[in-house]
Amino acid sequence: MADTSRENEQQVFRDIVDQAILAEEMGFDVIWAVEHTALTQYAHMSAPETFLAYLAGRTSRIGIGHGVVCLPPAMNHPVKVAERIATLDILSGGRVHFGMGKGGTQQEAGTFGYNLEDLPPMIDESMYLIPKILKHGEIEHDGQFVTIPFRPIHPSPMQDPHPPLYMACTRADTLTTAGERGIGALVLGFAGPDDIAKKNAIYREAFANRKAEDQVGYRPNNHLAALCPALVLEDREKARRIGLRGQRFFVESLGHWYSGGPAPDVEDLDASESIAALQRHKEETVAWLSGEKIAVGGHHTESFEVTEDAYGTAQDCIRHVQRLFDAGADEILFMFQMGGIPHEAIMETIRNIGEKVIPHFHEQAALAAE
């Protein structure tokens, strides 16, 4: 969010509701919402449970995805998470997808009195606990970080025993953890299809060799979803200029909050200038997100040269998405909301993907099924 004024912040929320409603009309499968706290400009989606509940009431078919709920107990107590997920699942007619994670910055962890490095065992405890609550409707738990006397917990979700489960994965070890625990992996896609193929291999091997005692929940979910920044317009050069500018802003805001870099630059540059700016400020504008190096243009090599991405026409998008599917992705998480990308461009992108990209892959699937 480049403009953080109250007026623009409110307008962005209204815009993303319009975008989500159009996405349902255009045949998209799931709307995913992040959860971040105190990260000015990077993400202002701090209450996804409220946003998704509102969205569930404005839609009828599209999946409602938490990507992800942050599980530090003081931020989101496991009982309250279970209650909210179950309620949302009922009111949405069983459309919830439930991702879990810890958040990525000390800025967020410190808001709730934690040190970031202390969070993983707390997240693990809640991750195993919440599906038990959703399945059984009651809980008694005396853990290292959470103690709950015996209580009935209401309501139970519509999906039995619970919605499909996912985990935010940014490093090889978290991909292994998701696979070993038998839940879906939500992964970044900035580094391109080759990187997704490597992540896919790690995840699938861990999933195939998982042990029953490590399973999180009661509904194994062998699913890898890859994030794909995209802007799809009739004017290819315009799409590349706006899309790369937005990704540059996004990467720089990541760098600001995750590794202490400067605040993001809102200057309007064309595609080549955005790349040149990153080359000039490589160390400042490469962000480490839980150990994953992210650079504009789809690669985390020493070069910022753009070789392929989903900024351009529908055919450009199809080519890139096909490579992601070929690399092993089960789901493409299109990301349009990056600072400085106009609402009108996002709406045009959603229409173009709905009218040209999604039908292409539906036709492919139908031919493969014959």
Side-chain angles (χ1 to χ4, degrees):
M1 184 180 294
D3 176 1
T4 60
S5 67
R6 283 193 175 203
E7 294 77 13
N8 187 64
E9 187 176 60
Q10 293 163 22
Q11 187 58 50
V12 167
F13 272 92
R14 289 189 288 266
D15 288 346
I16 58 177
V17 170
D18 289 343
Q19 292 159 19
I21 292 171
L22 180 61
E24 177 172 73
E25 294 174 4
M26 291 290 104
F28 285 67
D29 295 311
V30 187
I31 294 291
W32 291 92
V34 300
E35 179 175 17
H36 288 294
T37 291
L39 300 187
T40 305
Q41 291 193 303
Y42 173 59
H44 292 219
M45 180 63 73
S46 57
E49 68 281 354
T50 303
F51 167 74
L52 291 172
Y54 179 80
L55 194 61
R58 295 289 305 274
T59 57
S60 60
R61 177 197 58 80
I62 199 163
I64 303 296
H66 273 285
V68 297
V69 179
C70 297
L71 295 183
M75 184 177 184
N76 286 304
H77 189 280
V79 168
K80 296 308 299 180
V81 174
E83 292 170 339
R84 294 199 303 254
I85 292 295
T87 302
L88 181 58
D89 199 47
I90 293 169
L91 293 176
S92 68
R95 291 186 276 150
V96 169
H97 298 253
F98 175 31
M100 296 171 278
K102 68 176 176 63
T105 68
Q106 181 56 40
Q107 173 82 358
E108 295 170 281
T111 303
F112 300 95
Y114 296 113
N115 290 317
L116 185 64
E117 61 269 20
D118 296 335
L119 290 181
M122 302 181 198
I123 306 311
D124 290 348
E125 185 172 333
S126 288
M127 186 179 293
Y128 277 96
L129 185 58
I130 293 167
K132 293 179 181 178
I133 299 173
L134 292 171
K135 175 178 170 62
H136 299 294
E138 60 185 27
I139 193 65
E140 183 175 19
H141 179 76
D142 186 12
Q144 182 180 359
F145 302 102
V146 178
T147 299
I148 309 168
F150 178 80
R151 292 292 187 274
I153 306 298
H154 305 294
S156 295
M158 181 172 177
Q159 296 180 79
D160 189 7
H162 51 66
L165 304 177
Y166 306 80
M167 179 176 161
C169 300
T170 55
R171 303 185 312 269
D173 61 336
T174 53
L175 284 159
T176 299
T177 298
E180 289 175 342
R181 295 179 181 182
I183 59 178
L186 304 174
V187 305
L188 298 172
F190 288 96
D194 291 343
D195 188 64
I196 292 298
K198 294 175 185 177
K199 291 176 176 177
N200 179 64
I202 294 168
Y203 171 70
R204 304 297 182 185
E205 180 179 3
F207 192 97
N209 296 313
R210 72 193 191 281
K211 300 175 182 178
E213 59 267 27
D214 294 330
Q215 177 70 46
V216 168
Y218 308 88
R219 185 180 178 181
N221 185 25
N222 188 4
H223 187 96
L224 187 139
L227 188 72
C228 176
L231 199 69
V232 182
L233 308 178
E234 296 298 324
D235 185 334
R236 184 177 190 274
E237 292 310 310
K238 180 180 179 182
R240 295 193 62 72
R241 178 179 63 82
I242 297 175
L244 283 166
R245 183 187 68 194
Q247 187 170 334
R248 179 173 60 88
F249 183 94
F250 182 80
V251 167
E252 290 175 354
S253 62
L254 270 173
H256 177 63
W257 289 116
Y258 284 73
S259 57
D265 185 0
V266 297
E267 185 180 0
D268 187 6
L269 305 177
D270 65 23
S272 62
E273 289 172 327
S274 288
I275 298 166
L278 285 167
Q279 289 173 331
R280 290 194 304 271
H281 305 290
K282 185 183 298 185
E283 294 304 317
E284 293 82 5
T285 56
V286 174
W288 286 85
L289 177 56
S290 299
E292 173 159 330
K293 226 174 187 180
I294 300 173
V296 76
H299 294 275
H300 61 281
T301 64
E302 288 303 307
S303 171
F304 287 109
E305 180 181 359
V306 178
T307 57
E308 184 179 353
D309 50 49
Y311 304 127
T313 65
Q315 286 304 311
D316 293 321
C317 184
I318 286 170
R319 282 192 294 271
H320 189 67
V321 168
Q322 184 63 60
R323 290 195 64 202
L324 293 174
F325 280 136
D326 291 343
D330 298 301
E331 179 179 0
I332 308 302
L333 307 177
F334 285 117
M335 182 174 73
F336 316 127
Q337 277 288 350
M338 296 176 286
I341 296 186
H343 173 58
E344 295 75 18
I346 295 174
M347 294 292 273
E348 182 179 343
T349 295
I350 293 169
R351 289 190 188 93
N352 282 328
I353 291 176
E355 292 173 355
K356 301 169 185 177
V357 178
I358 292 174
H360 169 84
F361 289 102
H362 283 173
E363 289 169 11
Q364 275 198 339
L367 289 172
E370 290 181 355

